[in-house]
Amino acid sequence: MELVETLIEDARWQGLGLAALAERAARAALAGAGLPGEGFAIGLMGCDDARIAVLNADFRGKPQPTNVLSWPSEERGAEFLGEAPEPPEPGPADDPESLGDIAIAWETCAAEAEAQGKPMGEHVTHLIVHGVLHLLGYDHVEDEDAALMEGLEVRILASLGVSDPY
């Protein structure tokens, strides 16, 4: 069963193999958070900077492009700083628990990957792992939470053969 339902709005994502890359990254993120790869559903939109700028303005009041946005299906944040959020319960195979949606923008991701001297696929893998962790309630606003989330990201990415992005 597919974990990530991918909607491609910008054809450049097809060439990168976004759907397969996202499926692999999301499954690794769930495993890294101690969750099964079954019983959950995630929506992913591969779009361009113009589309994500509209979404960023609508949902965050920031009318400019960004690399990735996430919309958890429900609030899952931890009760205390530096503490892992309570994990969601998986649903049955025929009605998986929705974790939420992620949007990712081609131009911003490509520019960041180039500026950081890393392959686009590795950068996008990192951003999808990052987005999935947000759907699970992880966050990086406070230092204690950022340390927890970034440490988990580094471990998940290492399991995928992707070097430490920090």
Side-chain angles (χ1 to χ4, degrees), residues 1-152:
M1 180 106 201
E2 174 180 280
L3 168 64
V4 181
E5 182 179 337
T6 303
L7 169 69
I8 303 289
E9 282 196 355
D10 185 311
R12 293 174 287 185
W13 287 112
Q14 294 284 21
L16 186 69
L18 181 62
L21 187 151
E23 189 73 21
R24 183 171 177 258
R27 286 187 182 282
L30 290 180
L35 293 167
E38 303 301 323
F40 295 107
I42 296 169
L44 172 68
M45 178 176 57
C47 61
D48 62 14
D49 273 10
R51 176 79 158 116
I52 212 162
V54 170
L55 294 169
N56 204 18
D58 288 351
F59 292 97
R60 297 177 65 225
K62 298 179 178 185
Q64 69 260 356
T66 188
N67 51 16
V68 66
L69 291 171
S70 58
W71 296 271
S73 59
E74 63 184 67
E75 173 56 44
R76 295 187 175 92
E79 190 174 345
F80 300 104
L81 285 177
E83 182 177 271
E86 189 70 31
E89 290 293 323
D94 62 342
D95 187 24
E97 175 70 21
S98 173
L99 295 177
D101 299 307
I102 298 170
I104 191 162
W106 181 267
E107 295 92 340
T108 297
C109 290
E112 289 173 346
E114 184 176 338
Q116 296 169 25
K118 57 177 76 164
M120 177 78 158
E122 285 190 12
H123 186 52
V124 170
T125 295
H126 172 218
L127 293 174
I128 291 171
V129 166
H130 185 86
V132 171
L133 291 180
H134 276 308
L135 297 182
L136 294 174
Y138 289 86
D139 133 6
H140 47 83
V141 174
E142 302 294 335
D143 290 344
E144 297 90 341
D145 293 333
L148 176 68
M149 184 175 181
E150 291 170 7
L152 185 52

